[in-house]
Amino acid sequence: MSKTISILGATGSIGRQTLDVAEQLGLRVAALTAQMDVERLEAQVRKFRPRLAVLTDEAAARDLAVRLADMDTKVLGGPEALLEAAVCPEADTVVTAVVGMVGLRPTLAAIRERKRIALANKETLVCAGQLVMDAADTHGAEIVPVDSEHSAIFQCLQGCADRREIRRLILTCSGGPFYGMTYEEVGKMTKADALRHPNWTMGPKITVDCATLMNKGLEVIEAMRLYRLPLDQVSVVIHRQSIVHSLVEYRDGAVLAQLGTPDMRLPIRYAMTYPERVESPAEPLDLLSCPPLTFAQPDRDAFPCLQLAEAAAAQGGTACAVLNGANEEAVGLFLAGRIGFHDIPRLVAEARAAVPAEQEPALEDILAADQAARQAVLDRA
């Protein structure tokens, strides 16, 4: 069980909920980081009194340093300062709750220090899964997933002695706010429409990814890397109620599922307490009052991002880094009002075609592919 944690991305949705769980469990907080939310990070620092606070925006970090002049907390600024938070000596667990490729290098740094990685940054495994998992094996670091789907699979695999016992992993997907719409209908949806997720409250980038189904595509790649399985052993089903968080089908025909209310504090808590289970104040799932549970195939024609992710997964190498970098850039443009909803898969597909994929890439190749994909999107937007 974790005792002292560092949180990379403390002011976001996962970071804030992690601090709620840390307070409930009585965990110490060694480091907190954010991008530029000075006021929220100041409040968190004053409450949890970490040794280190980081804002990757350097102007915001200077502001925070002035605000916290009466405290002993060290304040650093800039992206490189994330690395110091990731290797903070007091922390036994690093919660990677930042969004995007910015989480890759700090995660690798924490792995080298043999920290437990409570992984909420899916891009790390999407872009560099082989490197990350090999590094964890080499250094003896533990990776415990925080995403509700991967936490569900992780829990359903606790009794699995041999990965050859698995027939397939089944990732559930709410379908997002546009479930049931045709491709033409989806194309008329606005930013405000895309940000209305039916079940979960998340940051804007991941919420848009849920609307395009790219989030589920990224999770397919993440599952392949985390559990070292090929693409044909990872499948997706639409489950609108978000109560069955994912399933594992075994070779003997048994299917294990993890159920719970749609509350991210549950997988966060398990990542903190694993392999123990600790009493929780959260309301448990009431089977007698929950709605009927339904399952359906995803519509890959109406939501082409899922197919794009599966194609990148099949290709391997830097193809997944290109996919992710292009998607991050395209979603940013959509949120800024510069492109339409259908432009997201269009730009991702065009970037995939423009940037060649390399097999067995080094870290530098992955970072270069990410940057090339972003530039390809900007050139075509």
Side-chain angles (χ1 to χ4, degrees), residues 10-314:
T11 60
S13 175
I14 296 295
R16 297 196 304 272
Q17 292 177 86
T18 300
L19 285 171
D20 290 344
V21 171
E23 187 174 21
Q24 292 164 5
L25 294 173
L27 305 181
R28 291 182 56 235
V29 177
L32 295 173
T33 84
Q35 183 180 10
M36 58 187 301
D37 192 341
V38 177
E39 291 189 4
R40 182 165 277 158
L41 191 61
E42 179 190 3
Q44 291 175 342
V45 169
R46 292 192 178 280
K47 181 173 183 177
F48 292 95
R49 309 188 73 83
R51 182 181 71 81
L52 175 64
V54 171
L55 283 164
T56 54
D57 182 278
E58 295 190 10
R62 289 191 291 271
D63 184 6
L64 183 66
V66 172
R67 291 169 178 242
L68 295 177
D70 60 322
M71 296 189 66
D72 294 333
T73 299
K74 180 181 179 182
V75 178
L76 295 177
E80 291 298 313
L82 282 176
L83 299 177
E84 187 161 339
V87 300
C88 192
E90 301 96 310
D92 53 62
T93 298
V94 177
V95 182
T96 58
V98 292
V99 176
M101 271 284 282
V102 69
L104 175 55
R105 291 177 62 233
T107 300
L108 287 170
I111 284 172
R112 288 191 288 269
E113 295 297 317
R114 301 182 66 185
K115 310 285 190 186
R116 170 180 288 186
I117 308 300
L119 187 68
N121 170 249
K122 61 175 58 66
E123 293 85 357
T124 290
L125 288 186
V126 168
C127 298
Q130 191 66 50
L131 283 177
V132 171
M133 297 306 293
D134 287 350
D137 289 344
T138 298
H139 296 283
E142 195 173 43
I143 298 179
V144 182
V146 167
D147 273 354
S148 61
E149 296 84 354
H150 293 303
S151 176
I153 291 170
F154 185 78
Q155 294 178 62
C156 290
L157 289 175
Q158 291 309 303
C160 179
D162 187 336
R163 288 292 188 266
R164 289 174 296 183
E165 297 175 351
I166 301 168
R167 180 174 290 158
R168 63 176 174 147
L169 309 179
I170 305 170
L171 299 174
T172 54
C173 172
S174 73
F178 306 148
Y179 174 72
M181 294 185 184
T182 65
Y183 180 82
E184 291 71 22
E185 290 169 335
V186 169
K188 300 173 184 176
M189 296 297 104
T190 66
K191 169 185 167 181
D193 297 324
L195 292 175
R196 294 191 190 102
H197 194 282
N199 299 336
W200 297 94
T201 300
M202 304 170 290
K205 193 269 181 181
I206 191 172
T207 305
V208 172
D209 282 349
C210 289
T212 65
L213 296 199
M214 179 62 86
N215 185 57
K216 203 54 50 178
L218 298 177
E219 287 178 0
V220 166
I221 301 169
E222 186 181 9
M224 292 169 59
R225 304 297 178 248
L226 192 57
Y227 303 110
R228 301 181 188 270
L229 292 172
L231 179 61
D232 62 7
Q233 284 185 262
V234 183
S235 60
V236 175
V237 298
I238 301 294
H239 171 57
R240 293 293 283 165
Q241 297 79 26
S242 296
I243 288 173
V244 177
H245 295 299
S246 278
L247 313 91
V248 176
E249 181 181 335
Y250 286 92
R251 293 289 180 189
D252 63 359
V255 179
L256 300 188
Q258 188 264 326
L259 285 69
T261 56
D263 183 348
M264 280 305 300
R265 290 172 183 83
L266 300 179
I268 292 168
R269 173 178 288 269
Y270 190 64
M272 298 296 102
T273 64
Y274 172 79
E276 302 172 30
R277 291 187 183 271
V278 177
E279 188 70 27
S280 170
E283 192 71 26
L285 176 66
D286 181 359
L287 291 174
L288 298 180
S289 64
C290 73
L293 306 182
T294 61
F295 302 90
Q297 285 283 358
D299 185 344
R300 288 172 171 79
D301 294 326
F303 302 94
C305 280
L306 179 56
Q307 289 190 88
L308 289 170
E310 290 168 336

Side-chain angles (χ1 to χ4, degrees), residues 308-358:
L308 289 170
E310 290 168 336
Q315 187 174 3
T318 55
C320 296
V322 172
L323 172 92
N324 181 75
N327 181 66
E328 282 190 33
E329 200 67 42
V331 170
L333 293 173
F334 174 73
L335 288 170
R338 294 175 56 186
I339 63 172
F341 191 77
H342 276 336
D343 289 319
I344 297 173
R346 174 184 67 80
L347 289 168
V348 172
E350 290 176 2
R352 287 263 293 116
V355 182
E358 295 188 31

